[in-house]
Amino acid sequence: WLLGESGTGKSSVAHSISQQLNEQERLAATFFFSRRQERRNIPGHVFLDIAYQIGCQHPHAKEVIIQAIENDPGLLHSGHPLEEQFEKLVKEPLRALRFSWTKPRTIVLDALDECDPSYESQ
């Protein structure tokens, strides 16, 4: 957990940590919020992006994610309840990999304060 004033280098540290974890095959996914990029300031995109990254890393996780989407295509909508997106698209695929990945994995989130405050999940 990094905490500090704007402009103190927290994002640079998060990028460096992500790069090191990736080189060590210990990075599950990243999401860097940004006020300047519309796609990067909506909470409903976080778990979609993380699921995509996890699915790209392991075929079994990809199968779990695809099955979840086939069962409920609404999971792909950014307005879908975040708790359900997290459960079906992140938690369950990671649970399916708990014996496949030999090293612990980390998800890096940065700049949560840049998330659009007007967003409301349905």
Side-chain angles (χ1 to χ4, degrees):
W1 186 275
L2 300 175
L3 183 63
E5 295 295 321
S6 179
T8 58
K10 298 179 304 295
S11 292
S12 294
V13 171
H15 278 280
S16 294
I17 289 170
S18 298
Q19 185 176 9
Q20 289 175 359
L21 289 168
N22 189 48
E23 289 168 2
Q24 298 168 2
E25 297 180 351
R26 293 180 50 217
L27 183 66
T30 63
F31 193 90
F32 293 84
F33 283 96
S34 173
R35 283 188 191 100
R36 291 181 223 119
Q37 295 179 359
E38 184 178 326
R39 175 132 174 75
R40 291 274 173 205
N41 70 358
I42 299 171
H45 291 166
V46 175
F47 299 130
L48 299 177
D49 281 13
I50 290 172
Y52 175 79
Q53 293 172 58
I54 292 168
C56 286
Q57 289 187 49
H58 200 284
H60 186 55
K62 182 178 178 178
E63 291 172 13
V64 174
I65 293 165
I66 289 171
Q67 187 62 53
I69 293 167
E70 286 176 352
N71 291 342
D72 182 2
L75 287 168
L76 293 177
H77 298 289
S78 63
H80 201 81
L82 295 175
E83 297 83 8
E84 197 171 333
Q85 281 184 333
F86 173 75
E87 183 70 33
K88 301 289 184 184
L89 299 176
V90 178
K91 187 176 179 182
E92 288 180 12
L94 288 174
R95 186 178 293 133
L97 294 178
R98 69 182 175 263
F99 300 117
S100 299
W101 278 345
T102 57
K103 298 177 183 177
R105 302 290 171 127
T106 302
I107 296 173
V108 177
L109 299 174
D110 181 58
L112 287 157
D113 60 322
E114 296 196 23
C115 183
D116 184 354
S118 66
Y119 172 83
E120 292 182 29
S121 65
Q122 297 176 5

